[in-house]
Amino acid sequence: TAGLNTLAKAAGKLYFGSATDNPELSDSAYVKILSNAKEFGQITPGNSMKWDATEPTRGTFTFTNGDVIANLAKTNGQLLRGHNCVWHNQLPSWVSSGSFTAADLTTVIQNHCSTVVGHYKGQVYSWDVVNEPFNDDGTWRSDVFYNTLNTTYVSIALQAARAADPNAKLYINDYNIENSGAKATAMLNLVKQLIADGVPIDGVGFQCHFIVGSVPTSFQTVLEQFTALGLEVAITELDIRMTLPETDALLAQQAKDYQSVVQACMNVEKCVGITIWDYTDKYSWVPSTFSGQGAACPWDSNLAIKPAYNGIVAAL
Ligand code: XIL
């Protein structure tokens, strides 16, 4: 085929992309496909721009691995999504178990966001400034940020990111907001409040870590609720896992599921792009995170395309 990114752009999207990670970049067959801008017009670092990777001790920043991904995007002519500034996971212990006053943690967040976003200024299309702020029931996640600063940490991070790179699109990113329900409503209410307060917010990212046979049915409706507020939206971490072993029937259902998820984005003008959370089962995060599950990507572990690839093509 013409390639997923070529097809997505011809249909009016900004990109079709993939996550990647530094250890995989020694695999030249893997890198060759990742770097083919006909397939992927955008990449996201799976780990190397997270807090534990970029500021392992307070005030000491390391960008070596993040720079490798940013430079790869530049070399390949691909857009870059920055991932992420403020998240409850993969935090260095000086943050997660620090005891901060509100003023001190405000400074910590401002310094982290402005240094990381500033380092990549001009190189990033969009930043996941805040990742996963909500529990599945729509309540706020109880982490060091919320427990110290209540909801204000979100605007503190967004304002610091805006000042550091005024041209980057600023996103809040989460999972299980792809169907109507308490968590999607919580996210809608948050972004409405941010807009009302004049806080910089450009987009909402829908992670889309789904399960074969049970992809959300109200996804397009939810996307439209967000774009109605003037925001852009994106699919940021798509994969569709199954209980192993894979069968022809599961792979066929997976193709239909990829098609319907991608179709929802295609049907919404301000859904700007789609990113899969790595393109191959060889390097997917799924098997190590969800016991007994896997085969979640459109390319198999031998880097051959699966029926899921053709499902995506059918939607683009
Ligand atoms: C995952 C990475 O892919 C793994 O390599 C890592 O061990 C854990 O994090 N939601 C997110 C991503 O926002 O940052 C996560 O990435 C997957 C779930």
Side-chain angles (χ1 to χ4, degrees):
T1 75
L4 302 180
N5 184 54
T6 302
L7 291 171
K9 289 179 77 168
K13 300 298 159 190
L14 280 180
Y15 60 82
F16 192 99
S18 176
T20 188
D21 204 359
N22 297 76
E24 306 152 25
L25 301 179
S26 59
D27 178 341
S28 59
Y30 167 85
V31 173
K32 191 175 179 200
I33 296 171
L34 180 74
S35 299
N36 178 0
K38 292 180 182 163
E39 296 288 11
F40 304 116
Q42 176 274 326
I43 56 177
T44 307
N47 286 298
S48 48
M49 292 185 190
K50 290 172 179 176
W51 200 314
D52 59 353
T54 53
E55 194 187 7
T57 56
R58 185 169 180 172
T60 304
F61 289 86
T62 55
F63 294 113
T64 316
N65 283 339
D67 288 357
V68 169
I69 309 283
N71 290 333
L72 184 65
K74 198 182 300 175
T75 302
N76 295 338
Q78 294 164 323
L79 298 172
L80 183 64
R81 295 196 80 255
H83 178 82
N84 57 60
C85 300
V86 175
W87 186 30
H88 72 98
N89 250 336
Q90 292 177 273
L91 277 177
S93 58
W94 71 268
V95 180
S96 57
S97 25
S99 70
F100 299 100
T101 64
D104 199 15
L105 189 58
T106 299
T107 305
V108 164
I109 293 170
Q110 287 171 333
N111 190 49
H112 182 75
C113 294
S114 59
T115 304
V116 175
V117 174
H119 179 81
Y120 293 106
K121 183 183 177 185
Q123 300 181 62
V124 170
Y125 168 69
S126 57
W127 263 105
D128 293 328
V129 177
V130 173
N131 197 33
E132 302 181 354
F134 295 114
N135 296 311
D136 280 348
D137 66 0
T139 58
W140 283 77
R141 202 182 277 277
S142 162
D143 59 16
V144 65
F145 306 112
Y146 181 74
N147 292 338
T148 309
L149 290 165
N150 205 285
T151 65
T152 64
Y153 79 85
V154 174
S155 56
I156 291 165
L158 287 165
Q159 275 155 352
R162 177 66 96 226
D165 186 353
N167 293 321
K169 303 281 188 190
L170 306 184
Y171 276 61
I172 303 175
N173 189 52
D174 214 329
Y175 64 94
N176 288 353
I177 56 170
E178 299 90 353
N179 248 334
S180 300
K183 196 171 186 179
T185 301
M187 184 65 84
L188 261 177
N189 289 337
L190 170 60
V191 296
K192 279 182 192 165
Q193 190 63 50
L194 293 170
I195 293 166
D197 292 346
V199 176
I201 174 75
D202 301 301
V204 171
F206 294 76
Q207 291 186 8
C208 298
H209 295 295
F210 294 142
I211 298 171
V212 168
S214 50
V215 298
T217 49
S218 53
F219 187 31
Q220 185 181 330
T221 304
V222 172
L223 291 176
E224 285 165 344
Q225 289 175 319
F226 284 86
T227 60
L229 302 176
L231 297 174
E232 60 179 58
V233 294
I235 293 177
T236 53
E237 306 184 13
L238 176 61
D239 50 29
I240 311 184
R241 62 188 184 265
M242 62 183 71
T243 299
L244 299 172
E246 59 186 67
T247 62
D248 287 349
L250 283 166
L251 292 170
Q253 182 63 45
Q254 183 181 51
K256 287 185 192 161
D257 291 342
Y258 265 99
Q259 181 176 348
S260 76
V261 172
V262 171
Q263 191 66 55
C265 180
M266 301 310 290
N267 291 349
V268 176
E269 191 185 345
K270 289 182 73 181
C271 184
V272 297
I274 296 147
T275 307
I276 49 180
W277 205 242
D278 225 322
Y279 73 85
T280 165
D281 294 335
K282 189 172 186 181
Y283 298 118
S284 170
W285 74 304
V286 166
S288 60
T289 307
F290 303 95
S291 174
Q293 298 179 63
C297 301
W299 274 258
D300 70 16
S301 51
N302 297 314
L303 307 181
I305 59 167
K306 295 160 60 176
Y309 180 96
N310 297 315
I312 297 170
V313 168
L316 292 175

